[in-house]
Structures are given as C-alpha cells and as structure tokens.
C-alpha cells in the first residue's frame, strides 16, 4: 500500500509518500480501508520528534472508510461497512489501510458525509470525555477554553454547552478569530492578553491545550473547587511549575487528560464516547467545520498549516485510491 510516513524528525519536511506494508488485524482488531483522515496538531509533534516513535512511522489518529478485514473474535461488523475510527493507539490513518481495536470503530450513520466523519473522532471525543469524565462538568458551571477556534477548541465550547454549562468563554491569540469563536456559540471571545486583566476566581473549569505562561494565569482564574484541564502543550514553551500547597490552600485542582493514553487502557470507554460524538454530529446537535480537504500527498502542507496555529476548524486528507 501507499502511506504518508515520517522518515526523519525534520518537521513536516520529514514526511514521505511511499510504499509500506499492509497491516493485518490481530485478535479483536479491525482493518479499515481509509478514505479520509483528519489532521491534528499532534502530527506536527510526531514529525518533530517530540513524541517517542520508531521510524518510519505512519501518523493519523482519526479516519473514515470501510471495513477491510476482521480480526479473530470480531463479529459486530461486515466487510465493506462504512465506519469512522480512532487509530490513536498505533497511528496509521495516513496509510491506505489502518488497523485499530474494534472498540474504537463506529458505524457511519446514514447521511453523514465521510469527509466530515473523519474530522470527528479525535477532537469531539476528547471534548466529551475530558469535560464529562475528567473535569466532571456540572450544569450551570462556567468554562474558559484556550485556542477556542482550533480543532479541539471548536468542540470544547459546544460540548460544554451540551453538558449544561452556563457561561462559556473562548480565548484566542488572533483578533481575526474573535468572530469565529462567537459563531461557535461562545458567550465571549477574549484575546490572550485579556487574561492578565481578567478578574480572578470566576471559572469552574479552564480547558488548556496550549500551555506556556497563560497556564499559571488560568489557575488564578479558577474559583474554589475549580479544575484546570490540561489537554496539550501546543506552545512548546518551558514547562510551568505549580505549587501543590497553593492548590490546597485555594481548593483548586489540575487534571491531565490524554485520549491516546486512555484508549490504550480502556478502549471500550473511549469507544462509547466515540459513538456518541459521531451521533451528535450526525444529528446536527454539534458542528464540526472542515475548512480544508486535500490529497494525502499534500499532508506536509496540511501539517505545516496546523502547526502554525493559523487554522480554524479541521483539515481532512483524502486517499484517492485503495490498497490492493
């Protein structure tokens, strides 16, 4: 088969479209003929060597396509079924065939655009689990979301609202993205520099996939009982040190959430949220904006664009052919 693989840790320039072995499903796994693959920020981190992987490696954590083969013990699907899947435990979505645990596969609802379906599994599922299972968001609580116009941020605000949040505020570094944030249903759109002047202790949950100095300021914005939800390190700046004594005195908490780590130990739980995410998008209760659809051969350009932080919504890569 053909696959877009990372062959060196030189950023997006280290990606090559080349021949690769066709993966076969093991027990409890499904092989998917990939039609479309979502692009995430983490692919840039893989390409830069910031996440431990062995080269060559095929990235791609979310796909849509059709069931190609079933591993031993899998009986809920048939060859040819249209599906969406998280390929997060071992990557592979940038290849023509990807293998993943059966629990991380879900049927495509009738009428759901498969291009759109490829943009759902990672970010929408993350938003649901992180806010409901990790942060234990309760009805009426207030939520602040960093990078609110990005792939994950665009879902966090909507999911917070679905889960009953009261006030939902989005943060962006770009003045041009303010309206985008408001169009996503946020009550307010702040610039990063607004955080310094914001009144402290006004949010119950802060969702932060960015890190950097704003993370410490986010802690100050939490009221007693508040939770800082750590979802990533997009800024790639020096790690911020947090005083655990301060957490105790103020009665606030820091919670890390990693979808890949959870998928590796509890695929069944993640799969339930994946199905819920796809259903919410299919019925129109939650919007995912696909802002670019490009051939898999141009994956390096897509990863570069996402890495720059200039994007809103999601970019989806398309495989124009299937493996033999």
């Amino acid at each position: 088969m053909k696959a877009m693989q990372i062959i060196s840790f030189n950023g997006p320039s280290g990606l090559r479209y080349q021949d690769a072995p066709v993966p076969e499903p093991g027990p409890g796994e499904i092989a998917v003929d990939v039609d479309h693959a979502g692009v995430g920020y983490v692919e840039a981190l893989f390409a830069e060597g910031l996440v431990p992987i062995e080269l060559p490696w095929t990235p791609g954590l979310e796909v849509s396509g059709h069931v190609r083969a079933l591993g031993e013990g899998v009986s809920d699907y048939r060859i040819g079924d249209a599906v969406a899947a998280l390929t997060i435990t071992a990557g592979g979505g940038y290849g023509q065939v990807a293998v993943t645990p059966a629990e991380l596969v879900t049927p495509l609802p009738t009428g759901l655009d498969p291009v759109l379906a490829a943009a759902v599994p990672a970010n929408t599922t993350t938003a649901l689990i992180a806010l409901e299972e990790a942060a234990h968001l309760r009805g009426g609580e207030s939520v602040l979301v960093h990078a609110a116009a990005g792939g994950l941020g665009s879902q966090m605000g909507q999911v917070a609202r679905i889960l009953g949040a009261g006030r939902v505020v989005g943060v962006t570094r770009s003045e041009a993205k303010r309206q985008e944030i408001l169009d996503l249903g946020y009550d307010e759109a702040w610039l990063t520099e607004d955080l310094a002047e914001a009144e402290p202790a006004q949010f119950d949950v802060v969702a932060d996939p960015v890190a950097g100095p704003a993370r410490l300021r986010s802690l100050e914005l939490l009221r007693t009982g508040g939770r800082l939800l750590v979802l990533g390190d997009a800024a790639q700046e020096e790690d911020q040190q947090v005083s655990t004594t301060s957490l105790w005195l103020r009665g606030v908490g820091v919670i890390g959430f990693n979808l890949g780590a959870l998928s590796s130990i509890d695929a069944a739980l993640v799969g339930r949220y994946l199905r819920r995410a796809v259903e919410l998008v299919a019925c129109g209760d939650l919007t995912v904006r696909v802002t670019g659809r490009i051939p898999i051969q141009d994956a390096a350009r897509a990863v570069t664009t996402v890495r720059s932080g200039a994007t809103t919504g999601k970019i989806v890569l398309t495989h124009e052919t299937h493996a033999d």
Side-chain angles (χ1 to χ4, degrees):
M1 71 171 188
K2 291 290 187 180
M4 182 61 72
Q5 294 190 307
I6 299 171
I7 63 169
S8 66
F9 295 128
N10 295 319
S13 65
L15 287 164
R16 290 289 184 276
Y17 190 63
Q18 59 187 21
D19 291 327
V22 177
E24 298 293 336
E29 294 181 330
I30 292 178
V32 177
D33 278 322
V34 178
D35 295 322
H36 310 285
V39 179
Y41 191 89
V42 71
E43 269 89 53
L45 304 185
F46 287 136
E48 293 168 10
L50 300 175
V51 178
I53 54 173
E54 293 186 8
L55 302 181
W57 195 76
T58 306
L61 309 184
E62 55 184 348
V63 304
S64 65
H66 295 80
V67 173
R68 175 186 179 92
L70 303 174
E72 181 183 351
V74 179
S75 58
D76 293 337
Y77 293 88
R78 295 183 178 182
I79 305 302
D81 283 351
V83 295
L86 274 167
T87 49
I88 197 167
T89 56
Y94 286 15
Q96 290 178 312
V97 180
V99 169
T100 195
E103 294 97 331
L104 299 180
V105 177
T106 186
L108 278 196
T110 302
L112 180 61
D113 183 349
V115 175
L116 176 60
V120 174
N123 290 330
T124 313
T125 304
T126 292
L128 281 166
I129 305 183
L131 286 172
E132 191 165 83
E133 296 280 343
H136 298 289
L137 182 66
R138 296 183 290 270
E141 289 192 316
S142 56
V143 179
L144 180 77
V145 179
H146 290 273
L152 178 57
S154 68
Q155 303 303 285
M156 294 295 295
Q158 295 183 73
V159 168
R161 196 70 82 192
I162 288 171
L163 296 178
R167 180 185 177 214
V168 185
V169 177
V171 181
T172 178
R173 293 181 299 172
S174 169
E175 178 68 45
K177 292 183 180 180
R178 277 188 188 265
Q179 189 57 52
E180 176 81 11
I181 290 173
L182 296 174
D183 290 344
L184 287 165
Y186 283 91
D187 295 307
E188 304 167 47
W190 292 3
L191 292 177
T192 302
E193 50 263 36
D194 295 334
L195 296 172
E197 303 299 326
E199 180 182 349
Q202 58 174 301
F203 293 99
D204 298 292
V205 174
V206 175
D208 180 13
V210 179
R215 183 159 288 173
L216 292 182
R217 178 56 179 157
S218 295
L219 279 170
E220 297 173 358
L221 297 178
L222 290 174
R223 56 171 56 105
T224 299
R227 291 85 74 199
L228 172 60
L229 190 55
V230 177
L231 299 166
D233 187 21
Q236 287 295 298
E237 297 183 22
E238 183 177 354
D239 196 15
Q240 303 298 303
Q241 302 302 308
V242 176
S243 165
T244 54
T245 299
S246 175
L247 298 181
W248 163 60
L249 290 172
R250 295 191 52 233
V252 299
V254 179
I255 305 163
F257 179 80
N258 184 304
L259 184 65
L262 182 60
S263 298
S264 296
I265 65 167
D266 198 345
L269 173 66
V270 174
R272 290 196 294 272
Y273 276 95
L274 168 63
R275 288 185 285 278
R276 184 173 165 192
V278 170
E279 290 165 1
L280 284 168
V281 174
C283 73
D285 288 345
L286 198 154
T287 298
V288 176
R289 295 182 177 177
V290 175
T291 53
R293 175 186 173 185
I294 63 177
I296 187 68
Q297 293 88 339
D298 291 335
R301 175 166 59 91
V303 173
T304 299
T305 302
V306 171
R307 180 70 170 94
S308 72
T311 57
T312 58
K314 292 282 291 189
I315 296 176
V316 171
L317 303 174
T318 296
H319 292 271
E320 296 174 346
T321 60
H322 289 145
D324 295 330

